Amino acid sequence: MTTIRRTASDPTPAGREMRSAAAAPKPAGGGVVNALGTVTAILPGSIHSVDCDGRTLRCLRAASCLLRPEIGDTVLVSGPDEQRLYLTAVAEQADAGVAHIEVAGDLTLASQRGAVKLQGATDLHLSGPRALRMDTAQLHLSAQAAECQVGHMSYQGVEARATVLNMRIVGRVYEAIVDRLVHLSKSAFRMTEGVDQLHAGQIDYQASEMARVHGRNTVVTAKDLIKADAKQIHMG
């Protein structure tokens, strides 16, 4: 039995058919894809639907594409075939006024030798996830030295704790409005140049050793009763 092998250069009709088959366009999904398109939809599973000149491509967002694509953005789609496509970059945003740098897991911004700066022209927001339990959203700050310069600051929270070796507050006006104030210290010193006033329903001073009240002029008055009780009372 004799076997006849034909090639594309064969001038016979069979060779012409082979040349026509080689020149025919490859079926969809059979070649490398590298095209620009417009995001038309974001499907479940982070699958992006991209329109490339009337041709709809389904692709996943590449890990290197940190800028989150939005509907209407012009994006670059690449892949070995239509079954393995990735959205590799956002070429042009539909709304250039809003941009989201987004990753699926933990994100670390680090500089080996330089500084890392976050700067906003209008506002700068740092926030964690909003949850019913306040301890589920955490913000950690660690540094050898920190400097904060704020014109006006407002803090709202459930609890604030500070553990420091030395604390110094210098200001013009200090106001504290609380339901209960507890101060515990080994020694306390307070000096007031002007008037020191105390208004209370009841006042109780107790000293384990000695209590002293002294002034150039000292006045002790009562509406109903003044009582002095001791083993010895010295007057004058």
Side-chain angles (χ1 to χ4, degrees), residues 38-51 57-61 67-73 75 87 90 100 102:
T38 303
V39 179
T40 57
I42 301 177
L43 307 176
S46 299
I47 298 176
H48 295 72
S49 179
V50 181
D51 178 62
L57 301 177
R58 302 289 175 86
C59 56
L60 292 173
R61 178 178 157 198
L67 181 61
R68 186 178 72 186
E70 303 291 349
I71 296 178
D73 290 353
V75 297
L87 194 158
V90 177
H100 295 273
E102 184 182 74

Side-chain angles (χ1 to χ4, degrees), residues 30-120:
V32 177
V33 176
N34 189 16
L36 284 173
T38 303
V39 179
T40 57
I42 301 177
L43 307 176
S46 299
I47 298 176
H48 295 72
S49 179
V50 181
D51 178 62
C52 297
D53 297 330
R55 182 180 172 190
T56 301
L57 301 177
R58 302 289 175 86
C59 56
L60 292 173
R61 178 178 157 198
S64 60
C65 183
L66 299 182
L67 181 61
R68 186 178 72 186
E70 303 291 349
I71 296 178
D73 290 353
T74 302
V75 297
L76 177 63
V77 178
S78 300
D81 52 61
E82 290 191 10
Q83 305 303 321
R84 294 176 293 174
L85 293 179
Y86 293 95
L87 194 158
T88 57
V90 177
E92 184 178 355
Q93 293 181 273
D95 183 6
V98 179
H100 295 273
I101 303 296
E102 184 182 74
V103 296
D106 296 337
L107 175 64
T108 300
L109 297 178
S111 175
Q112 293 283 338
R113 300 179 181 177
V116 177
K117 297 182 179 180
L118 297 177
Q119 183 177 355

Side-chain angles (χ1 to χ4, degrees), residues 3-235:
T3 302
I4 302 176
R5 296 183 178 178
R6 301 184 182 278
T7 63
S9 59
D10 193 342
T12 62
R16 289 194 295 270
E17 291 179 1
M18 293 179 64
R19 289 194 296 272
S20 299
K26 295 181 180 181
V32 177
V33 176
N34 189 16
L36 284 173
T38 303
V39 179
T40 57
I42 301 177
L43 307 176
S46 299
I47 298 176
H48 295 72
S49 179
V50 181
D51 178 62
C52 297
D53 297 330
R55 182 180 172 190
T56 301
L57 301 177
R58 302 289 175 86
C59 56
L60 292 173
R61 178 178 157 198
S64 60
C65 183
L66 299 182
L67 181 61
R68 186 178 72 186
E70 303 291 349
I71 296 178
D73 290 353
T74 302
V75 297
L76 177 63
V77 178
S78 300
D81 52 61
E82 290 191 10
Q83 305 303 321
R84 294 176 293 174
L85 293 179
Y86 293 95
L87 194 158
T88 57
V90 177
E92 184 178 355
Q93 293 181 273
D95 183 6
V98 179
H100 295 273
I101 303 296
E102 184 182 74
V103 296
D106 296 337
L107 175 64
T108 300
L109 297 178
S111 175
Q112 293 283 338
R113 300 179 181 177
V116 177
K117 297 182 179 180
L118 297 177
Q119 183 177 355
T122 56
D123 298 333
L124 182 61
H125 297 270
L126 296 177
S127 62
R130 297 180 180 178
L132 295 179
R133 293 179 54 190
M134 295 300 296
D135 57 352
T136 58
Q138 297 183 359
L139 174 64
H140 300 274
L141 175 63
S142 176
Q144 292 294 330
E147 182 178 351
C148 179
Q149 296 181 359
V150 180
H152 300 277
M153 184 171 67
S154 176
Y155 171 80
Q156 294 181 355
V158 177
E159 183 178 358
R161 295 183 180 181
T163 302
V164 297
L165 183 62
N166 297 308
M167 176 179 288
R168 184 179 183 185
I169 299 176
V170 179
R172 179 169 297 182
V173 178
Y174 177 79
E175 295 182 0
I177 302 175
V178 295
D179 291 335
R180 183 184 180 192
L181 177 63
V182 178
H183 175 82
L184 301 175
S185 62
K186 291 185 177 181
S187 61
F189 175 78
R190 186 177 69 181
M191 183 177 65
T192 304
E193 294 183 358
V195 178
D196 189 0
Q197 292 184 350
L198 173 64
H199 297 272
Q202 293 182 0
I203 299 176
D204 184 2
Y205 289 108
Q206 182 178 354
S208 59
E209 295 296 333
M210 185 182 72
R212 177 175 179 266
V213 178
H214 174 74
R216 183 175 181 180
N217 299 303
T218 303
V219 180
V220 178
T221 63
K223 185 176 181 180
D224 295 328
L225 175 66
I226 293 179
K227 180 180 180 181
D229 185 8
K231 290 183 179 180
Q232 295 183 9
I233 297 177
H234 296 185
M235 304 293 292

